Amino acid sequence: MRTVDEHQRVVADLITARPAATVGLADAEGLVLAADVAAPMSLPVFDNSAMDGYAVHAEDVAGASESSPVTLPVAEDIPAGRVDSLTLAAGTAHRIMTGAPLPAGATAVVPVEATNAGIDAVEIRAASKPGQHVRHAGEDVTAGTTVLRSGQLVTPAALGLAAALGLRSLTVRPRLRVLVMSTGSELVSAGTELRPGQIYESNAIMLAAAVREAGADVVATPTSSDDVNQFRTVLEGYTGQADLIITTGGVSAGAYEVVKDAFGAGAVDFVKVAMQPGMPQGAGRIGAAGPATSGSAGTSIITLPGNPVSALVSFEVFVRPALRAAMGLATPNRPRRTAVLADDLTSPKGKRQFRRGVYDPEAGTVTTYGPPASHHLRWLASANCLLEIAEDITEVAAGEQVQLWDLS
């Protein structure tokens, strides 16, 4: 059987980045920059007031105090947004609001709290030093400075800076587009009355959420029966729309394995991976209407098992880290922790086991949660971690340390 590490490398090689693209600021949030950003202008753009108050010549109020105030005539009123150029004459003051442009000649701003808030004349009750409460042009950003780096996540703060610099777009790594497809003639949509032998489809909903949580986009979540022709027809309906196709079901060793039947001619490598759950796996590239032709890159496809726990655990182990790495997102892997096991567990020899668990970070302990079988979805829905048990370990006793993946 293929090892977990080997299959991780195969999947990672298939999931690659899209070319860099320039997008509007509103569409760049959460993406990774693909190019440095240099400031086209300085910030602040002009000298401005950091307070609501009065622009003055500092020397005119050097001796002002509560007991000996200085009274100055108010020559101008400067709200934020005033665009004409003003000059402050010695021995006068301009009433000024926060963010408003400082008049030429002014060297300080006296906060309104240190005055009588006069309109025609103002009583200054505190001295001001040169530069006090003044935001100088370029003190935050100098034009030409690199302010955002390639590889940096576009956060709300980064968007705010880009907008303040007058930028309308950023060059980023686009989100990968993923088609999530469930297979199985037994599957029906929620809201449909179940007939004997039918179950509600859940894998596509679950994996689509996992894809979005990983930072990628979901193209669609179609379902196909176990008929090969229908499977191919559904798949062809999304030609050119996805960078990656994820299927669930149809990859085991029995009859009616529609994915294996459709791509068993070599386009997809179907293997057994030494893990539990999730042993049957597949990965490869397909063309628009089937196996990729010679010399054609095709579309990457990852085929996951159909049992829901196997499908989601397989996504966590193989697909999620490769998706995030291809999009340049930090920490592609889930955080790894070491914890003390609270109960005994057994694991199959020769397979890496991923057990559902509940991790208590305050106590530093972890408890296995639910049976190991791959159809027990209830337990996975309430677990906050996966215990990773190595291939050569068959028993772990309570009190021993184990490795876990933090899903919280």
Side-chain angles (χ1 to χ4, degrees), residues 50 71 81-82 104 140 146 151 207-208 214 251 268-269 273 283 331 385 390 399:
T71 299
R82 184 165 175 174
D140 184 18
T146 298
L207 291 178
V251 295
V268 179
D269 190 13
V273 176
T331 60
C385 69

Side-chain angles (χ1 to χ4, degrees), residues 73-156:
V74 177
E76 292 284 352
D77 203 33
I78 314 176
R82 184 165 175 174
V83 297
D84 54 331
S85 297
L86 298 174
T87 299
L88 177 69
T92 68
H94 288 181
R95 192 168 70 143
I96 192 168
M97 302 299 114
T98 302
L102 202 70
T107 59
V109 173
V110 179
V112 68
E113 293 83 359
T115 74
N116 68 342
I119 297 176
D120 297 320
V122 61
E123 189 177 273
I124 308 294
R125 298 168 178 168
S128 290
K129 297 178 181 179
Q132 189 169 353
H133 303 307
V134 174
R135 300 167 179 163
H136 294 286
E139 71 175 39
D140 184 18
V141 175
T142 303
T145 302
T146 298
V147 291
L148 298 172
R149 297 283 182 182
S150 178
Q152 181 175 341
L153 185 70
V154 180
T155 61

